[in-house]
Amino acid sequence: QVPWVESGGGSVQAGGSLKLSCTTSGLTFAHTAMAWFRQAPGKEREGLQCISWNDGIDHYSHHDQGRFTISRDNAKNTVYLQMTNLAPDDSAIYYCAAGSSYFCPAPYAFTHWGRGTQVTVSS
């Protein structure tokens, strides 16, 4: 199993910001594409963004563009998701995930998943 430490979730008011962090070990982080997903109650899991080993970014969803930014720090084995101008529709459990290669795969191809961190946005 790949150990994960996710943090940064919480409750904010609409218009607020959060920065999620996900640290992992047990894989060659610097050579692995990483991504963020989310799942709201009663909805399917939604891919948000993926960052490749060399910082190339793939957008899996149009709902967050311009408000969310993925980044990574290979020295810390950590991937981040900076979220701004949050809305109630952004309330969900947010998951980080690791691919199996350098570059971002299709959203269904991720092989390792974090436990998730809850984000709640109130109006």
Side-chain angles (χ1 to χ4, degrees), residues 19-119:
K19 186 174 184 177
L20 307 182
S21 300
C22 176
T23 302
T24 187
S25 60
L27 48 82
T28 308
F29 183 88
H31 295 170
T32 303
M34 301 293 296
W36 286 97
F37 291 72
R38 69 183 181 186
Q39 188 166 19
K43 295 186 177 181
E44 293 187 355
R45 186 170 56 199
E46 174 187 23
L48 296 174
Q49 298 184 22
C50 175
I51 186 166
S52 68
W53 74 287
N54 60 353
D55 294 338
I57 295 174
D58 282 8
H59 294 270
Y60 294 145
S61 169
H62 66 279
H63 294 132
D64 64 301
Q65 288 190 34
R67 299 188 299 125
F68 294 0
T69 303
I70 192 171
S71 61
R72 65 190 297 157
D73 185 339
N74 289 339
K76 296 181 179 179
N77 280 14
T78 300
V79 60
Y80 304 97
L81 186 68
Q82 176 70 56
M83 305 187 293
T84 63
N85 195 23
L86 285 161
D89 285 350
D90 295 317
S91 297
I93 299 175
Y94 284 70
Y95 298 90
C96 60
S100 57
S101 68
Y102 290 83
F103 297 103
C104 293
Y108 58 78
F110 284 84
T111 54
H112 302 289
W113 295 86
R115 297 180 181 179
T117 184
Q118 177 71 49
V119 171

